[in-house]
Amino acid sequence: MTAVLGGSSAPGLAKEIANEIKARYIAVETGHFPDGELHINITEPRLPKRIIYVQTMSPAPNDKLIEALLTFDLLKDLGRREIVAVLPYLGYTRQDHRKTPGEAVNVKTVMNLLADAGVNELVSVDIHLHRLNLNELKQLADIEINEVSAIKMLAEASALENPIVIAPDIEASRWAEMAAEALRTDYGAMEKKRKSPSEVEISFGDLDVDGRNIILADDIVSTGGTMVEAAQILKKKGSSDIQAIFTHAVFSSTVCPGNLFNAGITELISTNTIRNEFAKVSVAGLVAEALD
Ligand code: R5P
């Protein structure tokens, strides 16, 4: 027997997943003490053996992480030993190496915190991996990791005639390649140098996009800086219509997503890993398949 529990950031998605796998949905009550500390309560007395807990890590990744950890540890106290964390947007993956001797390696710490709190298995969507690959991520902690991808569905939800798929940076190549394969078209990657957390400089290489419809593909839009820079350059190079597909609508800046439209992108196509108005693709079915 399995139940799906929903954290505060993803009750809708948790219910959809419960529906897909025909399991009971149980809400986790969350409240706050006057100083902001969290209070978690599971009032359902008959919890099954296997628990799937759905919580996405945006907005407010710090709060969402603590909420998830408190819930996992509570489930452990309640005697549950089969705990699956469905974290459709997995935060804390950016900081994946130590550039200077005093830097924290967030992804390692977070994976170990999840394991210590009792998580046996993690299911996530299009994990933001740069220097680490999936196998290296799996080595960080004693958790089985299942990654599913929404890129094919996102590509299929776009509607441009004879498009070329463009990755706004080299790291996004793997998403562009998947989208191009789904659409049976070609793809290319731009080269990006990050000047500051909100400023990037992109060079274009030899891609010929003159008169072409473009699908820009990436896993995340955060400030929107990467997509904006890419779209502006593509426009200068004479490209025609530009649509953007991306899995996680982090939208961390107040100018995003408006800045994407101002840069000439005509349509944004995203998923519901984070609640947003451009979520045209639901990842519930993909996650359900991974949960077997
Ligand atoms: C690389 O840094 C990533 O692949 C994304 O391009 C990035 O996270 C998007 O960030 P932003 O929207 O802030 O440019």
Side-chain angles (χ1 to χ4, degrees):
M1 285 287 284
T2 299
V4 177
L5 269 60
S8 68
S9 64
L13 182 55
K15 283 178 199 159
E16 256 190 83
I17 292 169
N19 233 3
E20 290 274 347
I21 62 168
K22 304 200 180 358
R24 196 152 54 106
Y25 170 77
I26 297 170
V28 180
E29 284 177 16
T30 51
H32 288 91
F33 289 98
D35 64 352
E37 281 183 9
L38 274 166
H39 179 263
I40 310 278
N41 193 8
I42 298 173
T43 53
E44 168 58 57
R46 291 164 299 110
L47 287 175
K49 220 171 131 207
R50 184 172 185 242
I51 301 291
I52 294 165
Y53 174 76
V54 184
Q55 170 82 310
T56 204
M57 288 169 72
S58 178
N62 305 333
D63 294 351
K64 299 304 175 329
L65 175 63
I66 288 290
E67 184 186 329
L69 291 172
L70 291 171
T71 308
F72 294 135
D73 201 50
L74 166 63
L75 287 165
K76 209 165 61 167
D77 287 349
L78 296 175
R80 296 301 163 277
R81 293 292 174 264
E82 282 183 51
I83 303 176
V84 183
V86 174
L87 307 175
Y89 168 62
L90 180 64
Y92 279 104
T93 54
R94 282 191 189 93
Q95 184 62 33
D96 60 4
H97 74 306
R98 181 166 288 129
K99 219 166 28 180
T100 60
E103 257 182 334
V105 182
N106 295 348
V107 66
K108 177 178 72 69
T109 306
V110 167
M111 293 308 294
N112 280 293
L113 286 170
L114 292 172
D116 290 349
V119 173
N120 319 109
E121 188 184 338
L122 165 68
V123 177
S124 188
V125 186
D126 294 328
I127 302 176
H128 188 72
L129 296 172
H130 273 187
R131 284 151 289 256
L132 290 185
N133 61 36
L134 189 59
N135 279 332
E136 289 165 330
L137 182 72
K138 287 178 180 174
Q139 305 308 313
L140 295 180
D142 189 16
I143 299 183
E144 184 187 327
I145 301 179
N146 259 317
E147 186 199 29
V148 294
S149 179
I151 295 291
K152 182 172 182 281
M153 287 164 75
L154 287 168
E156 287 166 353
S158 66
L160 283 179
E161 206 181 319
N162 187 27
I164 175 171
V165 182
I166 299 288
D169 57 28
I170 294 294
E171 288 84 6
S173 294
R174 77 163 168 142
W175 316 118
E177 186 177 1
M178 287 164 86
E181 199 182 297
L183 298 174
R184 295 176 210 281
T185 187
D186 41 355
Y187 76 96
M190 299 166 97
E191 271 189 61
K192 178 175 86 176
K193 273 195 201 126
R194 191 167 277 283
K195 295 196 283 189
S196 73
S198 59
E199 258 187 306
V200 291
E201 192 177 84
I202 293 179
S203 59
F204 200 71
D206 297 329
L207 296 172
D208 183 9
V209 292
D210 193 18
R212 294 291 304 268
N213 284 331
I214 306 288
I215 292 175
L216 272 172
D218 207 347
D219 57 340
I220 291 182
V221 170
S222 180
T223 63
T226 304
M227 286 276 189
V228 164
E229 191 78 24
Q232 286 168 345
I233 294 169
L234 288 163
K235 279 288 169 198
K236 272 191 209 138
K237 293 273 179 181
S239 67
S240 190
D241 202 351
I242 306 177
Q243 297 189 350
I245 63 171
F246 47 97
T247 309
H248 309 296
V250 173
F251 294 170
S252 61
S253 143
T254 51
V255 295
C256 188
N259 55 349
L260 301 177
F261 293 113
N262 292 339
I265 298 173
T266 55
E267 188 162 352
L268 308 184
I269 303 170
S270 187
T271 76
N272 58 349
T273 59
I274 298 169
R275 272 181 282 183
N276 75 100
E277 61 183 296
F278 308 101
K280 292 163 191 158
V281 166
S282 173
V283 298
L286 290 171
V287 170
E289 276 173 40
L291 290 167
D292 40 59

